[in-house]
């Protein structure tokens, strides 16, 4: 008899497979990120209905095909469809970037319950918010923290002594993991300059909950600087540019 | 692969395996079927593949697959030229045209917006659709992208671009499929069916 697995999961990506099936990438609570085959899922009368749509959180019953090393979806029941993410292009684009983060920056079959809960809560918040860009920036900063690359924004991340001077521009280095004091800035060339407003917002978005970050008013300059800092960190630690971020810029422009 | 010491057979299997939905076993079965077939039949098959590849191209107006450009649908005088149905793939035209219920024109956008695959609006034939709407006397655009997340997001994106042009935008109805059973329908499909109910 095949071993069955019951777990909750959120669909990150779907691809067409054979005549009428779908190959899914699901981030599950118990098994981490897995690939699973849903036979006949593309048929209009499929028993899976919309339970296998991207961003949908469902309760799954899988079995593993030992020969192919692939999970096969036996049953799926919707818990949260997150329908609100389909009908607003900025929310859809932001949710796609979030899903791409988990698809690209997590290890296959590595259980991480905290990350699962965080992703689920982020999608819920994105569905409700009036400021999807703030939620996305906050998600990216919190994701870096969960992954162990949280930004050090108080003391200098190089010497650990000096901090930033209030009201002045400062430098943030991905290599050292955060802000640099004036003395270390002179030695470190590869860093991003940000203004005092962006630094304050960066700290707020990283530390505060989504409920508060949704109310933050971000001007284009600060938002651009924060995106540059995050992009610099992602490039340094993951060395991979997310395709979804380019598409998001196209959709929301 | 010692059992196949024929380079030509291995080459054939490898080529067949490149096709969508064809795994190594199926490729092997197809290769042996072709080898067992009459030479004339194999030549006929190879000839039709080459002929189709050489003659069929995309229609420069609607991006359907056609031998004559513009395609028969775009040049037909019996069709309602004020109505355009937007689909993702040329194959969708076949499905919709076979119903006989739609007599307007088509426009294939060649996919749907999918940020995870790096496909954005600029990779689709959306600009061409907007130019067409501007040039032709279009009164209604029916968006028939797939009823999935990417299809919905593409439909919303298109409607935002088309509505300001003063053209009516509609979406294919969603809900219960014919022959389906209510007890097996999921919550989202049922909710859509209730929203889209019609008076009898």
């Amino acid at each position: 008899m095949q071993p069955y697995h019951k777990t909750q999961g959120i669909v990150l990506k779907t691809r067409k497979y054979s005549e009428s099936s779908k190959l899914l990438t699901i981030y599950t609570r118990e098994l981490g990120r897995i690939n699973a085959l849903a036979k006949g899922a593309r048929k209009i009368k499929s028993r899976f209905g919309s339970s296998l749509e991207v961003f949908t959180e469902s309760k799954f019953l899988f079995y593993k095909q030992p020969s192919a090393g692939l999970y096969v979806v036996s049953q799926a029941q919707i818990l949260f469809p997150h329908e609100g993410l389909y009908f607003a292009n900025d929310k859809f684009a932001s949710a796609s970037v979030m899903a791409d983060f988990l698809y690209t920056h997590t290890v296959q079959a590595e259980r991480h319950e905290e990350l699962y809960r965080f992703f689920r809560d982020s999608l819920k918040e994105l569905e409700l918010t009036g400021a999807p860009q703030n939620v996305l920036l906050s998600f990216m900063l919190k994701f870096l923290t969960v992954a162990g690359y949280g930004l050090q924004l108080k003391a200098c991340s190089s010497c650990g002594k000096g901090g930033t001077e209030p009201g002045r521009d400062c430098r943030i280095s991905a290599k050292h993991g955060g802000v640099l004091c004036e003395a270390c800035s002179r030695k470190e060339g590869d860093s991003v300059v940000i203004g005092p407003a962006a630094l304050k917002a960066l700290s707020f978005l990283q530390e505060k909950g989504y409920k508060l970050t949704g109310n933050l008013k971000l001007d284009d300059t600060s938002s651009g600087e924060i995106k540059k800092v995050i992009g610099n960190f992602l490039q340094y630690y993951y060395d991979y540019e997310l395709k979804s971020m380019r598409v998001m810029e196209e959709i929301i422009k | 692969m010692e059992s196949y010491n024929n380079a030509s057979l291995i080459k054939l299997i490898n080529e067949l395996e490149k096709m969508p939905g064809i795994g190594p076993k199926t490729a092997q079965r197809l290769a042996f079927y072709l080898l067992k077939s009459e030479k004339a039949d194999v030549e006929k098959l190879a000839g039709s593949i080459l002929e189709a590849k050489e003659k069929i191209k995309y229609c420069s107006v609607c991006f359907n697959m056609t031998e004559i450009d513009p395609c028969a649908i775009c040049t037909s005088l019996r069709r309602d030229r004020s109505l355009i149905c937007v689909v993702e793939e040329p194959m969708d035209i076949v499905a919709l045209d076979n119903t006989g219920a739609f007599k307007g024109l088509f426009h294939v956008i060649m996919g749907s917006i999918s940020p995870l695959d790096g496909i954005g609006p600029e990779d689709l034939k959306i600009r061409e659709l907007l130019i067409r709407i501007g040039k032709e006397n279009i009164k209604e655009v029916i968006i028939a992208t797939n009823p999935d997340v990417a299809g919905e997001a593409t439909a919303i994106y298109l409607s935002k671009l088309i509505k300001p042009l003063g053209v009516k935008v509609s979406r294919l109805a969603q809900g219960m499929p014919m022959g389906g059973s209510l007890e097996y329908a999921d919550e989202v499909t049922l909710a859509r069916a209730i929203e889209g109910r019609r008076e009898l």
Side-chain angles (χ1 to χ4, degrees):
Chain A
M1 197 173 144
Q2 306 277 10
Y4 277 86
H5 303 270
K6 258 187 206 173
T7 180
Q8 292 176 13
I10 300 170
V11 180
L12 300 179
K13 192 173 178 173
T14 69
R15 277 143 290 176
K16 289 176 184 173
Y17 187 85
S18 72
E19 190 83 0
S20 59
S21 303
K22 272 184 185 177
L23 188 60
L24 313 161
T25 302
I26 309 170
Y27 199 82
T28 65
R29 204 175 67 177
E30 316 279 331
L31 307 160
R33 176 167 63 83
I34 59 160
N35 287 328
L37 179 66
K39 292 178 184 169
R42 283 166 57 211
K43 288 182 184 165
I44 285 283
K45 288 179 196 168
S46 159
R47 66 201 152 102
F48 295 117
S50 64
S51 60
L52 307 178
E53 283 302 307
V54 177
F55 316 136
T56 301
E57 185 181 16
S58 297
K59 213 189 257 179
F60 291 99
L61 182 67
F62 302 109
Y63 65 88
K64 198 167 185 179
Q65 254 183 357
S67 55
L70 192 72
Y71 289 93
V72 177
V73 185
S74 177
Q75 287 174 32
Q77 192 191 350
I78 297 176
L79 293 172
F80 295 102
H82 297 301
E83 262 196 294
L85 300 173
Y86 313 173
F87 301 112
N89 281 144
D90 50 358
K91 290 186 179 184
F92 166 73
S94 302
S96 299
V97 174
M98 288 181 180
D100 206 1
F101 256 74
L102 268 85
Y103 180 74
T104 313
H105 300 324
T106 55
V107 179
Q108 194 155 335
E110 192 178 87
R111 181 181 172 153
H112 199 320
E113 273 202 60
E114 188 193 350
L115 189 57
Y116 177 81
R117 280 195 301 273
F118 165 61
F119 180 49
R120 185 189 58 192
D121 295 346
S122 303
L123 287 179
K124 276 184 191 168
E125 197 55 40
L126 189 62
E127 203 177 351
L128 301 171
T129 189
Q133 280 297 293
N134 284 6
V135 172
L136 178 62
L137 289 175
S138 186
F139 167 85
M140 293 197 273
L141 290 164
K142 290 180 170 90
F143 180 92
L144 284 169
T145 307
V146 173
Y149 305 122
L151 277 69
Q152 161 72 264
L153 298 172
K154 299 222 160 59
C156 173
S157 55
S158 177
C159 66
K161 292 172 195 159
T164 55
E165 285 187 38
R168 291 187 63 178
D169 286 357
C170 71
R171 284 187 171 271
I172 296 191
S173 159
K175 183 180 160 191
H176 294 287
V179 291
L180 298 174
C181 64
E182 214 168 316
C184 293
S185 292
R186 277 183 238 121
K187 287 181 260 167
E188 188 56 59
D190 190 22
S191 53
V192 177
V193 181
I194 66 165
L199 179 65
K200 205 173 160 188
L202 196 60
S203 164
F204 191 81
L205 289 166
Q206 181 172 260
E207 286 158 23
K208 304 289 178 192
Y210 284 127
K211 291 274 179 292
L212 293 170
T213 55
N215 300 328
L216 181 70
K217 295 269 179 289
L218 260 182
D219 59 48
D220 288 349
T221 315
S222 298
S223 168
E225 287 173 351
I226 292 171
K227 279 182 191 166
K228 217 168 160 185
V229 169
I230 295 171
N232 196 250
F233 265 68
L234 292 174
Q235 190 65 41
Y236 187 83
Y237 291 107
Y238 295 104
D239 196 22
Y240 184 82
E241 198 185 340
L242 295 178
K243 293 181 212 161
S244 56
M245 288 180 85
R246 176 188 60 79
V247 176
M248 181 180 72
E249 299 296 331
E250 257 183 55
I251 294 174
I252 60 176
K253 78 179 175 193
Chain B
M1 282 292 232
E2 265 181 358
S3 49
Y4 309 145
N5 47 13
N6 302 310
S8 56
L9 177 59
I10 296 169
K11 195 174 156 193
L12 177 61
I13 293 171
N14 288 343
E15 289 307 312
L16 289 167
E17 215 183 309
K18 286 180 189 168
M19 292 184 189
I22 309 273
K25 284 275 174 208
T26 313
Q28 207 172 303
R29 254 198 315 272
L30 287 172
F32 279 104
Y33 166 79
L34 290 171
L35 291 178
K36 274 192 221 163
S37 303
E38 293 292 323
K39 197 179 175 203
D41 291 336
V42 177
E43 277 172 353
K44 215 165 139 189
L45 174 68
S48 8
I49 294 173
L50 271 176
E51 192 186 350
K53 187 67 194 162
E54 276 162 17
K55 287 187 178 170
I56 294 176
K57 48 191 167 268
Y58 290 113
C59 170
S60 57
V61 180
C62 70
F63 299 97
N64 186 14
M65 283 183 172
T66 178
E67 277 192 22
I68 312 149
D69 187 22
C71 71
I73 294 176
C74 288
T75 50
S76 169
L77 297 173
R78 277 182 289 174
R79 294 206 163 241
D80 182 349
R81 308 195 69 79
S82 67
L83 207 56
I84 288 188
C85 181
V86 179
V87 293
E88 287 182 17
E89 302 290 344
M91 277 189 292
D92 300 332
I93 293 186
V94 180
L96 281 163
D97 214 35
N98 282 347
T99 63
F102 179 71
K103 296 287 178 206
L105 305 173
F106 288 97
H107 187 92
V108 186
I109 54 168
M110 296 290 179
S112 56
I113 297 173
S114 177
L116 271 108
D117 298 308
I119 302 169
E122 283 170 22
D123 302 305
L124 305 174
K125 302 291 180 192
I126 293 176
R127 192 176 295 124
E128 289 81 352
L129 171 67
L130 298 177
I131 293 171
R132 223 178 138 187
I133 294 170
K135 272 204 264 179
E136 298 170 27
N137 187 25
I138 304 298
K139 291 197 173 73
E140 183 178 352
V141 174
I142 302 169
I143 303 177
T145 48
N146 286 334
D148 54 21
V149 176
E152 286 298 333
T154 309
I156 299 288
Y157 184 83
L158 287 173
S159 74
K160 276 188 184 162
L161 294 176
I162 299 168
K163 273 184 185 167
L165 304 174
V167 175
K168 183 181 168 189
V169 182
S170 55
R171 177 93 172 103
L172 283 191
Q174 288 175 15
M176 295 298 296
M178 273 297 286
S181 179
L182 270 181
E183 65 176 305
Y184 291 112
D186 63 273
E187 297 88 323
V188 177
T189 307
L190 274 175
R192 295 278 178 95
I194 291 167
E195 280 164 23
R197 70 191 184 277
R198 61 191 171 91
E199 205 179 319
L200 295 173

